[in-house]
Amino acid sequence: MDADTELRELAPPAFTHAVPALLQVYEAAMRPPPEQLPGRASVMNGHAGHPGFRSVVALREGRPVGFAYAFHGCSGQWWHDTVVRELHMSGRAGQARRYLSDALEIAEVHVHPRAQGQGVGRSLLHALCRRRPEPTAVLSTRSGPSAARHLYRSCGFTEVLEDFSFPGSPGQPFSIMAARLPLTGSGDRRSPGRSAWWPWTGSR
């Protein structure tokens, strides 16, 4: 990651205030149908209230070029319960206990296309997982070869479920990946700062 990029950790109130700006990064990186963005904003705002929530934003000239966030996964959360149920149904209850009983659930890692391939995603991932109390981290990423999947593997993630379709999205298979913490591989070792409030919302 170059010297012009700054990592900043946002407390939950700052994160929810910044969601409109972060959605611009998400939209540029993922190209979702526009009608899905309000629902995505609602999900992100809801996640900020989960236990152990942490968010990290990559900034250049005060504007976000990437962000990632995670929280402690536990029973009662939709992603956690869906994946645990599938592991049990497929005869892999041991993996459910090993990787998801006390895990950091990485919900989102996105980098704007103009900043991709520059180590921003790796730096975000390492900052997100640094000094966490959980012994493992888990995430889902779209199946098939991709830069994101290559990044996760290089940091120590391995597949625990392949070609898994979440309820309501039968045409979008995902890989469920897990890693032991701390992550392996190189990363930005600088500690992110913490902002009690980040006022920019993407309106200017």
Side-chain angles (χ1 to χ4, degrees):
M1 191 175 74
D2 62 51
D4 294 331
T5 304
E6 174 191 6
L7 294 186
R8 184 74 58 84
E9 182 177 344
L10 302 183
F15 174 83
T16 57
H17 189 73
V19 162
L22 302 181
L23 276 177
Q24 294 181 7
V25 176
Y26 173 82
E27 185 176 16
M30 301 300 290
R31 299 293 182 185
E35 62 270 18
Q36 291 184 4
L37 293 176
R40 176 58 53 181
S42 178
V43 168
M44 290 170 65
N45 284 319
H47 283 166
H50 283 359
F53 179 85
R54 175 183 286 174
S55 67
V56 183
V57 179
L59 300 171
R60 286 182 183 168
E61 299 180 353
R63 294 179 178 247
V65 295
F67 74 95
Y69 74 86
F71 44 82
H72 181 76
C74 58
S75 179
Q77 296 170 357
W78 180 81
W79 189 96
H80 175 275
D81 290 350
T82 300
V83 173
V84 168
R85 186 182 308 112
E86 178 63 23
L87 286 170
H88 278 270
M89 290 177 62
S90 59
R92 284 171 277 190
Q95 287 187 317
R97 289 191 298 270
R98 184 178 306 116
Y99 292 117
L100 282 95
S101 62
D102 184 15
L104 176 68
E105 182 179 317
I106 299 173
E108 306 282 356
V109 180
H110 299 293
V111 178
H112 195 285
R114 68 172 179 264
Q116 291 176 5
Q118 301 168 33
V120 175
R122 182 179 299 275
S123 295
L124 287 168
L125 190 61
H126 275 264
L128 195 65
C129 296
R130 190 173 298 134
R131 294 187 298 275
R132 290 292 306 196
E134 298 92 349
T136 60
V138 293
L139 57 83
S140 54
T141 189
R142 288 179 181 173
S143 295
S146 68
R149 193 162 177 168
H150 176 76
L151 167 64
Y152 299 141
R153 282 177 171 169
S154 73
C155 291
F157 285 86
T158 58
E159 291 79 4
V160 296
L161 275 176
E162 285 279 21
D163 297 324
F164 173 64
S165 294
F166 286 97
S169 302
Q172 295 183 352
F174 284 84
S175 291
I176 309 302
M177 305 183 76
R180 291 285 181 185
L181 295 181
L183 297 179
T184 59
S186 61
D188 185 356
R189 311 313 284 180
R190 294 176 297 174
S191 295
R194 174 175 284 275
S195 170
W197 190 255
W198 182 43
W200 188 70
T201 63
S203 60
R204 65 181 189 271

